[in-house]
Amino acid sequence: VGSENVQICRNVLKNIGYENEETSGDGIIVTGPSTHVLIEGNFIGGIGPTYDVPPPGLDVPGAYIPIVSIGIGTWGVSDCTVRGNFVFDVHGVNIIAQDPPPTLAEVPTQLTVEGNFVRNQLIREAGIMINDYPDAKINRNLVDYSNNIGISVSDCENVEIGDNIVLNCVGSGIDIIDSRRMKVHHNTLIR
């Protein structure tokens, strides 16, 4: 929380969270205001509770939705790179970044999510989710199976989504909401 020049690299985080409990369990979380953050080369798997998930699309009133866990999450972080991580079997969002602090002259408010392998996002969230960023690049990621959305971008601007491979999503491959100045190119979406 509130750190500067953070490097979280080449760690193994596996089976975090309790079996059959309403306890989230998260992999890597960085909150702000933090600057110059690098999250690279981590192996993160089996995050969150292990109980069964309702079938995709089960949205009836009173339906039980498991608590959401996070593989890699950043909130309030400027100049952040999430690169070359292997994130799988997460009961929630594999990679999420949102709500950077206001831009400072010496610290750009930018986000790069590149070269990550994201597999088996298990409840109705997204493999990669970016919210409220003024400058983001989501490039060369592989998202293999999401129980909802492969890549989700909401309330962002100046975003490039390129050269990603999104396989076997139950919902949208790439979902863009209330964003502007987008460049979406050379992505492969296969169901």
Side-chain angles (χ1 to χ4, degrees):
V1 177
S3 301
E4 187 174 339
N5 296 321
V6 177
Q7 293 185 8
I8 303 171
C9 303
R10 294 172 292 287
N11 298 287
V12 175
L13 303 152
K14 192 158 176 5
N15 298 333
I16 297 173
Y18 293 96
E19 291 191 15
N20 304 311
E21 295 286 338
E22 292 188 15
T23 303
S24 65
D26 296 311
I28 296 171
I29 303 291
V30 179
T31 61
S34 295
T35 58
H36 309 299
V37 174
L38 172 64
I39 302 172
E40 181 176 42
N42 298 287
F43 180 92
I44 301 168
I47 306 299
T50 58
Y51 41 46
D52 292 335
V53 178
L58 181 62
D59 291 324
V60 297
Y64 180 68
I65 305 298
I67 195 162
V68 173
S69 299
I70 306 292
I72 296 174
T74 67
W75 285 266
V77 176
S78 293
D79 190 19
C80 180
T81 299
V82 179
R83 178 175 55 219
N85 299 285
F86 184 78
V87 187
F88 69 102
D89 292 346
V90 175
H91 244 94
V93 184
N94 289 36
I95 298 173
I96 183 171
Q98 61 186 38
D99 301 325
T103 301
L104 303 172
E106 64 277 3
V107 181
T109 303
Q110 62 187 20
L111 170 71
T112 301
V113 178
E114 68 178 5
N116 298 287
F117 180 64
V118 175
R119 187 161 191 266
N120 288 357
Q121 179 275 322
L122 299 174
I123 67 171
R124 290 189 302 270
E125 292 291 340
I128 298 172
M129 179 182 288
I130 311 300
N131 299 321
D132 300 315
Y133 259 88
D135 188 2
K137 292 182 174 131
I138 306 166
N139 295 324
R140 295 178 298 284
N141 298 285
L142 171 59
V143 179
D144 182 8
Y145 184 73
S146 170
N147 200 19
N148 192 9
I149 298 167
I151 298 172
S152 173
V153 174
S154 177
D155 297 311
C156 294
E157 57 185 84
N158 298 324
V159 177
E160 178 183 359
I161 303 173
D163 300 306
N164 298 286
I165 299 173
V166 181
L167 307 173
N168 303 314
C169 291
V170 173
S172 304
I174 297 174
D175 191 53
I176 300 169
I177 301 168
D178 295 330
S179 296
R180 56 194 171 278
R181 293 191 292 282
M182 305 285 298
K183 181 179 179 184
V184 181
H185 63 91
H186 299 103
N187 297 286
T188 302
L189 311 175
I190 300 174
R191 169 83 174 138

